[in-house]
Amino acid sequence: MTLLYRIAGLLVQSSVPLPGVAAVASSAQPPDAVIECAPVPSGLADPTHRTAAWDIGPQQFLLRLPDGSRLQASNGCRLLIQPVADEQLADILPFVLGTGIAALLYQRGVVVLHASSVVAHGKAWLFCGHSGIGKSTLAAALCRAGHAFGGDDIAAIRLDAQGVPCMASDGRQLKLLDNSIDTLDMGDLRRQEVRAGCGKHYVEPPTESSAEPLPLGAIYFLEDGLPGAPLQLTPLGLIDAAQSLLNDSYRPRMALLMTGGAERMALTTAILRHVPAFALSRPRDLQRLDATVGALQQHWLELDR
Amino acid sequence: MTPLLPPGLVWLASFPKSGNTWMRILLANLVDDNGQAQNINALAIRNGIANSRALFDFHTLLDSSLLRPHEIDLLRPTVHDLVAEQPIANHVVKCHDCWRELDDGRPVLGYGARAAIYVVRDPRDVAVSLAHHMGGTPDDAIAVMSGADDPVQADRQLPYRQGSWSRHVTSWLDQTRVPLLCLRYEDLLHDTVGCLVRTLHFLGAPCPPERIERAVHHASFAELRRQEEAQGFRERRPGQPFFFRRGQAGDWRTSLSPEQVRAIETAHGATMRRLGYPLSTEPLAHRSPA
C-alpha cells in the first residue's frame, strides 16, 4: 500500500493510512518524505543529545514512546515507525504526525511554529501559544465565520524566492475537545478520536484549506486575560516577538537542538522583517469566542489598509 | 543579584486550598526584596507547577494531551529530574501531587529535588475554602477530600494524583526521599515571621530579620486582597468572587454543620491528631492548642 498526503508543505508517501489527513489522489512529483514501518534501533549510535525519551544527532531524531514503540526521522526525508506490536500502530500515529513530522521539518531547515492558522485577504494569520490556550478552537471559530482553514497544531514557515515568509499548505484536520466541538456546533464534522481516551477528535474543517503557500499576515501570541479583563491586542517589539517565536516553536527544545543559533536568528529576523507580531490577551471563555473573532476580523481590515 | 535561596529544586507542596499560594507570595517577597510588594500576577517565583503541561511537553517532545495518565506517570520522573538540573535561581515549584512511587520504585516527582516545604491546614477549614473555590457546597468539598486515588484532571495541566486529604498529608510526611519541613497554615497565620525564619533555616538561606518583616508586610492578606480588587488574580476561577477570601483560621466553626464536621473528623481524625488539630469531640481540657 502506498498513499500520498500533503502535510506542512511536504508531499509525504506513506505505507500506512494516516488519520486526520486527506490523501492526495496522485502526483507527478516525487515524494519529499516517506513514512514506513521498519525496525528502529533503541537509540542513535552517536547522539549529540540524549534523554530517557529521545535522542538527537546530526540529521537524526529518535523517539522512544512510553509503550516501547519507537520512531526515527532521518535527513528530513525518512520517517520509520516501529510499534511495540502491530496492533499498536494506530495508537502511535498521532505522535508520528506531530513530533515525527516536526523532526523532518527541522531537519529540512523549516521554521516550525506551534500554531493554528486561517486564511483571509489572501494571507495566513497564525495563532501561537502553549497547549490548551485555545489555538485550535479559535481557528475553528474563524472557519465557522467563513474564513478558509490554514492549519492546526503545526505551521511550517519557509521563505519564498523573494525572501518573503510563507506558510505551507497542510492537509491535516483540526483536533478539538468535545466541549469546543459542541460550543461551535460542529458535531456533524466530528470524526474519529485522535487517540483512544484522549478526549480529542479530528474535525473536518468547515472550509477548505489553501493548496498553495501563502504569505503571512500577522502572528498572534495568545495569552489568557485576567478574569473580567477586556480583549487586548498589543503590538510586540522585535525582541519580544523574537523571544515569543522561539518560545512558541513546535517543541521548542527540538528547535533549539536541531537548528543552529545563527540559522534560527536569520530566519526569525526574516520573518519579523515582513510580518507584524501581536500579543492577543482574551478571556478564557468559550461563550466569548465571537467577540474575539470580530476583533480579529477588524484588525485584519486595519492591517490590510 | 545573588539568589537568596541556595541552588536546587524545592517542592512547595500542599493539598489544595491549604496556603500554598500565600506561602509562594511570602517567598517571592523574600527573594525579591526591592521595597515594593510583589505583583501577585507576576511573582518573582514563577516556576509553574509540578504537573505543568508546558514543561512536560518541552522535555518529552510529546503532546501530553494525547497521552494517558499512566503514560504521563512513566515519563514524569525523567521530566522532573531534567527540570531539577536547570540552573534556576530560587527554584521553588508548587506541587499538589501526593507523594507517590511507580511500580518500578521511581518517585513520580523524580529524584532531583533537594528539599520540600509541606504546608498543611485544618481539613475543616480546607473544606470551607475548597467549597468556595469550586463553587460548590461543603459536602462537595468533603467528598473531594475523601476522594479515591483516581487522576485529577487539572485545568489545562497534566492529570495528577491527589488522593484523600489524609493520604496526601501522610504520603508527604512519611516519604524519606526528600528532606521535608511541615508548616501548619494556622502557625503561619499566628507567627508568620517565626515560620519564615524556620523555613529559611531549613533551606539554608539566612536572612536579616528586617527583610523577613518586609516580606510579611508585603504579603499581608490586606495587600493581597487590595491587589486582587485592583487588577484581578490569574488563579481565581471564573465565577469566584475573590481568591483571597478571608485568610483566617477557624472559619469552619461557623460554616460547617455538625454533620459535616463529624464526616471530616471521622475520615481524617487520625491525621488531624498527628498534626495537633483537636477534634470537636474531644473534651476541652484535653485539647492542645492548635
Side-chain angles (χ1 to χ4, degrees):
Chain A
M1 176 196 297
T2 298
L3 296 161
L4 285 177
Y5 301 92
R6 178 73 60 185
I7 300 176
L10 299 176
L11 183 64
V12 177
Q13 176 182 296
S14 176
S15 63
V16 301
L18 300 179
V21 53
V24 172
S26 63
S27 176
Q29 69 180 87
D32 298 305
V34 173
I35 296 177
E36 57 189 345
C37 287
V40 173
S42 58
L44 295 178
D46 205 11
T48 53
H49 300 85
R50 167 172 281 167
T51 72
W54 48 261
D55 293 353
I56 288 175
Q59 290 293 85
Q60 294 290 331
F61 173 77
L62 191 146
L63 182 68
R64 290 176 283 270
L65 291 166
D67 70 346
S69 303
R70 297 192 283 266
L71 64 88
Q72 181 176 10
S74 304
N75 302 308
C77 63
R78 197 162 182 235
L79 192 46
L80 301 182
I81 312 168
Q82 182 177 351
V84 66
D86 289 345
E87 55 270 25
Q88 291 299 109
L89 175 62
D91 202 46
I92 67 171
L93 286 177
F95 303 108
V96 172
L97 288 168
T99 304
I101 290 292
L104 292 178
L105 291 169
Y106 280 125
Q107 288 168 351
R108 297 171 77 94
V110 176
V111 172
V112 191
L113 297 179
H114 194 182
S116 66
S117 58
V118 297
V119 179
H121 307 282
K123 297 176 184 174
W125 308 84
L126 272 54
F127 306 101
C128 294
H130 59 75
S131 294
I133 194 79
K135 302 183 293 297
S136 306
T137 303
L138 180 54
L142 285 160
C143 290
R144 191 185 57 169
H147 299 289
F149 178 59
D152 189 23
D153 205 33
I154 285 179
I157 313 298
R158 299 172 177 81
L159 302 182
D160 70 7
Q162 285 75 44
V164 174
C166 295
M167 187 189 78
S169 64
D170 195 317
R172 286 175 292 187
Q173 296 172 342
L174 289 152
K175 297 194 293 286
L176 294 171
L177 290 168
D178 286 337
N179 64 341
S180 292
I181 296 172
D182 294 338
T183 299
L184 293 165
D185 196 23
M186 295 171 77
D188 57 331
L189 299 172
R190 186 188 340 236
R191 299 294 175 258
Q192 71 187 79
E193 197 171 17
V194 176
R195 190 169 184 247
C198 77
K200 280 188 179 179
H201 284 79
Y202 288 114
V203 175
E204 206 163 312
T207 50
E208 285 194 14
S209 56
S210 167
E212 299 301 319
L214 289 168
L216 304 185
I219 302 174
Y220 298 91
F221 297 97
L222 301 185
E223 299 171 354
D224 284 328
L226 288 171
L231 183 147
Q232 279 186 308
L233 267 168
T234 309
L236 291 178
L238 185 62
I239 294 174
D240 287 340
Q243 187 61 55
S244 295
L245 276 178
L246 176 59
N247 293 345
D248 285 332
S249 299
Y250 190 83
R251 305 295 172 258
R253 196 160 186 202
M254 285 178 82
L256 285 167
L257 297 179
M258 296 178 73
T259 311
E263 181 188 352
R264 190 167 59 248
M265 180 65 71
L267 288 167
T268 300
T269 304
I271 289 171
L272 294 176
R273 185 179 301 130
H274 293 276
V275 186
F278 302 89
L280 173 55
S281 174
R282 80 275 185 260
R284 270 188 63 203
D285 185 348
L286 286 175
Q287 304 308 318
R288 297 180 62 179
L289 262 177
D290 287 345
T292 305
V293 167
L296 284 166
Q297 291 172 323
Q298 180 60 35
H299 196 233
W300 297 340
L301 287 173
E302 292 166 8
L303 289 177
D304 210 38
R305 285 195 195 116
Chain B
M1 187 175 66
T2 304
L4 174 65
L5 303 180
L9 169 63
V10 176
W11 295 120
L12 179 55
S14 73
F15 192 88
K17 308 313 294 177
S18 299
N20 194 301
T21 299
W22 184 36
M23 189 64 183
R24 194 155 29 98
I25 295 173
L26 281 164
L27 290 173
N29 277 283
L30 266 173
V31 306
D32 188 16
D33 182 36
N34 62 14
Q36 294 181 340
Q38 284 278 294
N39 181 337
I40 60 175
N41 291 304
L43 294 174
I45 291 180
R46 210 175 348 177
N47 300 316
I49 190 170
N51 62 320
S52 162
R53 192 178 288 286
L55 273 179
F56 181 95
D57 291 2
F58 179 85
H59 286 288
T60 62
L61 308 184
L62 294 171
D63 181 350
S64 55
S65 70
L66 301 181
L67 291 171
R68 302 178 184 105
H70 76 275
E71 294 172 324
I72 291 172
D73 278 352
L74 288 172
L75 289 167
R76 282 188 70 183
T78 298
V79 172
H80 292 309
D81 287 346
L82 287 170
V83 171
E85 289 173 1
Q86 305 300 304
I88 298 172
N90 303 312
H91 197 178
V92 177
V93 180
K94 172 181 174 179
C95 178
H96 282 323
D97 291 72
C98 65
W99 182 271
R100 189 163 57 93
E101 297 183 358
L102 300 173
D103 290 344
D104 60 13
R106 291 181 300 152
V108 169
L109 294 175
Y111 297 97
R114 73 174 185 93
I117 303 165
Y118 189 78
V119 185
V120 69
R121 187 181 187 184
D122 188 319
R124 294 163 296 195
D125 276 334
V126 172
V128 174
S129 184
L130 188 57
H132 281 280
H133 189 68
M134 290 165 50
T137 66
D139 288 328
D140 296 331
I142 291 167
V144 167
M145 293 169 66
S146 298
D149 200 29
D150 296 330
V152 174
Q153 186 54 61
D155 188 29
R156 293 196 298 153
Q157 305 294 358
L158 299 174
Y160 69 102
R161 308 282 181 137
Q162 184 173 282
S164 71
W165 179 85
S166 287
R167 175 157 190 270
H168 197 285
V169 172
T170 56
S171 74
W172 276 95
L173 295 186
D174 294 340
Q175 60 80 28
T176 56
R177 298 268 191 187
V178 184
L180 184 91
L181 172 69
C182 180
L183 293 173
R184 297 194 319 172
Y185 175 82
E186 296 77 12
D187 296 333
L188 197 56
L189 270 178
H190 178 67
D191 181 13
T192 315
V193 170
C195 286
L196 287 183
V197 169
R198 282 175 61 204
T199 302
L200 290 168
H201 176 75
F202 169 72
L203 294 176
C207 193
E210 54 272 20
R211 184 168 177 172
I212 298 174
E213 287 162 7
R214 273 197 298 277
V216 170
H217 174 70
H218 286 148
S220 67
F221 181 82
E223 170 62 22
L224 304 185
R225 182 64 172 259
R226 183 196 68 76
Q227 286 197 37
E228 185 175 8
E229 288 175 357
Q231 59 174 291
F233 183 47
R234 291 197 177 282
E235 297 178 34
R236 189 175 83 216
R237 302 192 78 160
Q240 187 183 12
F242 289 102
F243 182 93
F244 300 106
R245 201 174 55 85
R246 288 203 184 159
Q248 293 174 356
D251 207 13
W252 64 271
R253 297 179 194 280
T254 55
S255 301
L256 297 181
S257 69
E259 292 76 24
Q260 290 165 340
V261 171
R262 195 156 44 242
I264 293 171
E265 294 179 359
T266 300
H268 307 294
T271 306
M272 291 174 67
R273 285 197 192 88
R274 180 176 173 181
L275 292 165
Y277 291 121
L279 305 188
S280 60
T281 53
E282 290 172 349
L284 274 170
H286 294 287
R287 291 186 194 178
S288 26

